[in-house]
Amino acid sequence: MWSYSLRSLPWRSKVLRAALSVTSRHHGSSCVGVSGRKWVTPAGFDSGLKTYNSLTKQKEPLILAREGVASWYSCGPTVYDHAHLGHACSYVRFDILQRILSRLFGITVLHAMVITDIDDKIIKRSWEENVSPAVISTMFEEEFKRDMLSLKVIPPAVYLRVTENVHHIVAFIERIIENGHAYATKEGDVFFDIRSIGDRYGKFVGAVDSQGEAGSTNKRDSRDFALWKPSKPQEPFWDSPWGRGRPGWHIECSTIASSVFGSQLDVHSGGIDLAFPHHENEVAQSEAYHQCDQWSNYFLHSGHLHLKGSAEKMSKSLKNYITIKDFLQSYSANEFRMFCLLTKYRSAIDYSDSSMSEARSSLETITTFIHHAQAYMKGQLQCSPVQEASLWERLAETKSSVLKSLADDFDTPRAVSALMNLVYHGNCQLQPVSRSDGVVRSPAVFAAMISYIRDLLDVFGIDLQHRKESDSESSGGSLEAVVEQLTRFRSEVRAFALTRQDAPTVGSSKKPGLYPERIPLLKSCDTLRNDLAPLGVLIKDRGATSTWEITTGKQREDEEHDMSR
């Protein structure tokens, strides 16, 4: 049978660790002070935000060890199958949180993520496919990374594979044994000794009622969990002081997070299903290794994604999942991000066509407002006098409300609500009229509103200028220019057709109104407008001028329905 060679830690993690060391500030020992499960407010720099901490089950001020820098570790995927929307929801939600920290509050996020590339499920899949585990893990790791990029998730500063860090894991386990918190069995297992840490176990749930992991009967306590386990025949293995084997599940994250960030971690994130036992065991291992009382200061957990009508989370094991690739055949990354923004990151979220339609509708409402505001700024949309002072005041209130909302445990639903309220009031001022001669115009306030809306959506990772690659390839980048020229020509023809006859002179047989011979031109303009709507080009006539926009999906159906009434 084959084995893995032990390779050194990738250089990127060393660079990341060095960056932390350079920016660090000494605050005294982090390994003294508390007993039991009490959480201590960290020493450091107050970010001005509050976040819900799963360690305390309440909102806490987000205090960072280094000014303007947040160390952040997240559990990555076990790469044995396609990533699905349940995974996407968690990664996109935390990507949004990190973007808010960095782009709105000026905090540099140093993010490291583990890739679990050796696991029982990977081994089983490799047997089924008759290939090595390395082939399975490499294939699905690369697919995962492509999926994340397609959803516009910013990659971590470093991805770290378990198989490249086994030598660090072995050393980590040896230290825990030396510190009196783990023991080896004659069969080659190494277990963490829960009793050795007393009532410190159970930070996320009550440890008394917790069920231990299945496995060896030689454990001292049923709650003890594996740090190292002997490999079975035909399984990958690494040499260790306890014989040939491979790491347990939980130890990989403690080791790799510590190899990058040391004994102090600001934020640890993951899905709520990982809180117990995975994160519970991570904390126990890490604090036993570092001999400290508080390893990670904050744990952030995202809520499950459910198929609407189902109480069960979306899961590979339950076979009730939708792959990211399949999802993106029907919806865009922008729409999925808006879907995530409309609920709090730590709440469960129901996925359905109706919930996706709500997200799509919100984006289309924003896009339509921007088109109308731009048409007003160009002089193509004639309106009644705009209450400019009121809009400036509304914009300032929105900025303040959004900032307060996002500083309060990243409350994106409240922030989006404030943004949509701004759009509503902007639309109220853009009521078209047939003539507006002599009316004072106020384009600057709409320019400010558009800039703010775009900037905020960019913080969330939503780019309103984004088009699917297939669209841009098929159009060669010229579709919008073609539509602009077509609309301009149609407007000139329509203006000519709408020219009215002069008042008739005495004795003349002519009647006032449109020139009869030009009416067919007007009808042709209307036909062109109606024919283009199903193709995704929406032309709106506004008096003598016209505006246009490229539409998709639900918005197109709604507009066609309006035209048919």
Side-chain angles (χ1 to χ4, degrees):
M1 190 54 193
W2 50 277
S3 66
Y4 286 105
S5 61
L6 299 181
R7 287 172 282 181
S8 61
L9 184 68
W11 66 270
R12 287 178 294 176
S13 66
K14 294 181 180 178
V15 172
L16 191 59
R17 179 77 177 273
L20 282 169
S21 300
V22 168
T23 58
S24 65
R25 170 179 171 179
H26 182 68
H27 297 296
S29 174
S30 61
C31 301
V32 294
V34 303
S35 61
R37 284 174 271 165
K38 183 181 178 183
W39 182 80
V40 173
T41 302
F45 300 89
D46 194 334
S47 66
L49 292 89
K50 286 189 174 183
T51 188
Y52 184 89
N53 190 354
S54 294
L55 290 168
T56 63
K57 297 179 176 59
Q58 64 183 23
K59 293 179 186 178
E60 304 286 357
L62 180 60
I63 298 174
L64 306 173
R66 300 160 187 84
E67 187 173 14
V69 178
S71 57
W72 188 308
Y73 177 82
S74 62
C75 298
T78 301
V79 283
Y80 73 97
D81 205 344
H82 306 287
H84 57 66
L85 280 192
H87 303 129
C89 190
S90 182
Y91 292 121
V92 167
R93 282 169 148 181
F94 286 125
D95 177 73
I96 290 170
L97 266 56
Q98 292 176 355
R99 286 171 178 266
I100 291 169
L101 281 177
S102 61
R103 302 189 182 190
L104 208 57
F105 294 98
I107 295 169
T108 300
V109 178
L110 304 180
H111 181 204
M113 179 185 289
V114 68
I115 298 289
T116 302
D117 59 344
I118 188 65
D119 173 87
D120 289 342
K121 295 175 182 177
I122 295 172
I123 294 170
K124 180 182 178 184
R125 183 71 181 265
S126 73
W127 288 345
E128 293 171 349
E129 303 289 341
N130 197 28
V131 295
S132 73
V135 170
I136 295 295
S137 61
T138 300
M139 177 174 65
F140 287 113
E141 177 186 339
E142 292 307 311
E143 182 181 293
F144 168 79
K145 291 176 179 176
R146 288 193 299 270
D147 284 341
M148 292 300 102
L149 289 175
S150 70
L151 292 170
K152 295 186 281 190
V153 172
I154 298 173
V158 61
Y159 285 109
L160 296 156
R161 300 184 186 95
V162 173
T163 57
E164 294 175 346
N165 288 273
V166 175
H167 59 306
H168 290 287
I169 293 173
V170 169
F172 202 91
I173 295 171
E174 288 182 306
R175 173 75 68 83
I176 295 175
I177 293 174
E178 291 172 8
N179 290 341
H181 298 294
Y183 57 93
T185 69
K186 61 182 180 180
E187 291 86 4
D189 295 281
V190 179
F191 291 104
F192 189 87
D193 187 354
I194 294 293
R195 293 177 186 173
S196 71
I197 60 172
D199 65 354
R200 293 176 58 80
Y201 193 74
K203 295 178 186 291
F204 296 113
V205 298
V208 175
D209 298 325
S210 63
Q211 297 296 315
E213 294 179 344
S216 172
T217 58
N218 294 323
K219 294 192 290 185
R220 297 174 182 173
D221 188 297
S222 62
R223 299 171 301 166
D224 293 351
F225 55 89
L227 305 181
W228 186 266
K229 51 188 178 182
S231 291
K232 299 173 185 176
Q234 307 303 311
E235 286 187 350
F237 64 83
W238 287 260
D239 291 323
S240 79
W242 317 287
R244 289 179 170 180
R246 55 190 175 90
W249 173 31
H250 315 294
I251 193 66
E252 64 188 48
C253 288
S254 294
T255 302
I256 290 174
S258 296
S259 73
V260 178
F261 299 115
S263 62
Q264 177 75 67
L265 179 62
D266 290 319
V267 179
H268 193 312
S269 65
I272 188 62
D273 54 317
L274 296 178
F276 190 89
H278 185 53
H279 290 164
E280 186 73 56
N281 293 348
E282 273 192 67
V283 171
Q285 295 163 160
S286 300
E287 294 179 356
Y289 175 89
H290 294 295
Q291 293 289 278
C292 66
D293 291 306
Q294 193 161 292
W295 169 57
S296 180
N297 289 325
Y298 302 88
F299 270 86
L300 275 55
H301 290 113
S302 60
H304 284 147
L305 182 139
H306 301 264
L307 290 173
K308 191 168 184 179
S310 172
E312 296 174 327
K313 68 170 184 174
M314 187 174 287
S315 167
K316 292 176 184 175
S317 60
L318 296 174
K319 303 296 182 183
N320 64 347
Y321 64 89
I322 301 168
T323 67
I324 295 169
K325 186 176 181 180
D326 287 344
F327 169 82
L328 290 174
Q329 297 297 312
S330 302
Y331 299 101
S332 69
N334 282 345
E335 289 164 347
F336 188 69
R337 284 181 168 267
M338 180 57 76
F339 166 75
C340 292
L341 287 165
L342 292 175
T343 58
K344 292 185 178 180
Y345 75 92
R346 55 190 174 90
S347 299
I349 184 169
D350 284 336
Y351 172 81
S352 66
D353 286 339
S354 62
S355 59
M356 286 306 305
S357 292
E358 180 185 0
R360 175 175 284 175
S361 177
S362 297
L363 282 177
E364 288 173 345
T365 298
I366 294 169
T367 302
T368 299
F369 165 72
I370 290 176
H371 277 291
H372 291 176
Q374 289 173 330
Y376 172 80
M377 293 168 65
K378 292 175 183 178
Q380 297 172 340
L381 175 59
Q382 308 300 318
C383 294
S384 303
V386 169
Q387 298 177 17
E388 184 174 355
S390 175
L391 285 183
W392 282 113
E393 183 179 351
R394 186 75 61 179
L395 178 59
E397 290 173 356
T398 301
K399 290 180 178 181
S400 175
S401 176
V402 166
L403 204 62
K404 289 178 182 177
S405 298
L406 297 179
D408 183 13
D409 194 30
F410 309 98
D411 193 342
T412 58
R414 189 148 54 100
V416 171
S417 177
L419 184 67
M420 298 306 293
N421 191 48
L422 175 67
V423 169
Y424 168 77
H425 285 282
N427 277 327
C428 288
Q429 298 292 322
L430 292 176
Q431 297 303 314
V433 295
S434 56
R435 298 181 65 86
S436 60
D437 297 341
V439 171
V440 177
R441 301 179 68 256
S442 307
V445 68
F446 287 101
M449 292 169 72
I450 290 173
S451 295
Y452 174 70
I453 291 168
R454 283 178 170 169
D455 288 347
L456 182 60
L457 291 179
D458 183 66
V459 168
F460 296 148
I462 294 175
D463 179 8
L464 294 181
Q465 305 303 314
H466 177 72
R467 292 283 184 269
K468 287 186 177 180
E469 291 183 7
S470 58
D471 291 343
S472 60
E473 289 171 2
S474 62
S475 66
S478 62
L479 177 60
E480 293 190 358
V482 170
V483 174
E484 173 66 27
Q485 290 298 322
L486 176 63
T487 305
R488 186 176 299 174
F489 174 74
R490 178 183 173 278
S491 294
E492 291 176 0
V493 172
R494 189 167 174 275
F496 176 73
L498 287 171
T499 303
R500 306 182 76 83
Q501 300 184 67
D502 295 332
T505 58
V506 177
S508 171
S509 61
K510 290 184 178 180
K511 296 181 179 180
L514 300 178
Y515 289 96
E517 64 271 20
R518 300 183 186 181
I519 290 177
L521 289 176
L522 198 59
K523 291 180 178 179
S524 294
C525 288
D526 290 344
T527 299
L528 177 61
R529 178 196 62 205
N530 296 340
D531 288 348
L532 288 176
L535 302 178
V537 177
L538 179 64
I539 296 177
K540 291 186 177 181
D541 295 321
R542 305 182 184 282
T545 62
S546 302
T547 61
W548 63 270
E549 61 183 289
I550 296 175
T551 62
T552 57
K554 181 67 165 53
Q555 182 183 5
R556 190 183 308 164
E557 295 172 6
D558 291 345
E559 295 292 346
E560 290 175 21
H561 177 68
D562 291 342
M563 289 179 180
S564 65
R565 286 189 300 179

